[in-house]
Amino acid sequence: RARAEAAARGSGESALFAQGCLAMAADDYKGAERAFEKLVNEDAGSAVYHFYLGQAYGAQAQRANVLSKASLARKTKAEFERAVQLDPESVDARAGLVQYYSQAPGIMGGSMDRAREQLAEIRKRNAYRAGLLAAQLAGRDKDAAAMAREYGQLAAQFPDSAAPHSALVQVYSQQKQWDEAFRAVDRWLAAQ
């Protein structure tokens, strides 16, 4: 954090980027928006700047009143889509779109089909991240079987990662599937 604060006192794009990140960390989303908008205006070809501006808009939208929410939601979507246009390999921007499409109402451009399309693109680039997102979507739908399937596949594919093992145990425990939970623990221990 000290380095980021020092960079924020410096000059140029990196200082402005650090200011925006610090504002996001401090829940000053309007301040982050100002910093990232300046960066986008200076370098409209940066997928990273568009992605972070989309995050600033999205964070504000989650806390906004009904009238402001719609405008901020449209801006969020536009920035994430622009980031993907500029850098189709950006898993972060695609993950932002998965979140947007899966949460926004249809009238605001939300669509589970579009969320799944982005998820499929993420799977091509980062199977781990896609699995976590897919499990998260399944959790929103209260589909414990799909969550367990996604976490189980991740645990098998990435045995050194604690997150899918832990999440799998939690899913089984919440469903009171104790035998499955203990088998998942045993597999986790064996993987270590």
Side-chain angles (χ1 to χ4, degrees):
R1 182 173 170 112
R3 274 190 246 161
E5 288 173 355
R9 289 189 296 270
S11 62
E13 284 185 16
S14 62
L16 196 53
F17 185 75
Q19 287 173 356
C21 291
L22 287 171
M24 287 289 287
D27 296 337
D28 175 13
Y29 304 120
K30 193 66 177 167
E33 173 191 335
R34 284 189 298 272
F36 295 131
E37 278 181 345
K38 286 179 188 174
L39 287 167
V40 165
N41 289 334
E42 289 177 18
D43 184 1
S46 171
V48 171
Y49 295 161
H50 283 281
F51 168 69
Y52 275 88
L53 179 55
Q55 282 192 306
Y57 287 144
Q60 289 178 75
Q62 291 177 354
R63 293 162 181 80
N65 63 41
V66 176
L67 297 175
S68 297
K69 190 177 289 263
S71 172
L72 288 164
R74 275 193 283 281
K75 289 179 179 182
T76 301
K77 179 177 170 256
E79 292 303 323
F80 288 160
E81 288 175 338
R82 183 65 180 136
V84 170
Q85 284 175 340
L86 291 168
D87 181 7
E89 299 303 311
S90 174
V91 171
D92 289 334
R94 288 184 183 280
L97 283 172
V98 169
Q99 297 296 341
Y100 182 86
Y101 292 142
S102 66
Q103 293 177 28
I107 196 164
M108 296 299 302
S111 163
M112 284 307 293
D113 288 341
R114 291 183 83 185
R116 286 187 201 98
E117 287 171 11
Q118 290 301 320
L119 191 57
E121 289 299 318
I122 294 170
R123 278 195 201 279
K124 294 175 188 176
R125 293 158 175 84
N126 187 322
Y128 186 82
R129 187 91 177 268
L132 292 177
L133 279 168
Q136 186 180 44
L137 291 179
R140 265 195 227 134
D141 290 339
K142 298 187 183 347
D143 186 348
M147 287 175 66
R149 185 174 52 255
E150 289 293 341
Y151 287 133
Q153 289 172 354
L154 284 174
Q157 216 175 346
F158 302 95
D160 291 344
S161 178
H165 290 285
S166 175
L168 185 59
V169 171
Q170 185 176 5
V171 168
Y172 286 137
S173 297
Q174 288 172 344
Q175 298 300 308
K176 298 187 182 348
Q177 295 178 347
W178 306 117
D179 290 342
E180 288 299 324
F182 282 113
R183 277 194 280 279
V185 169
D186 290 341
R187 285 191 301 271
W188 186 4
L189 293 173
Q192 302 305 309

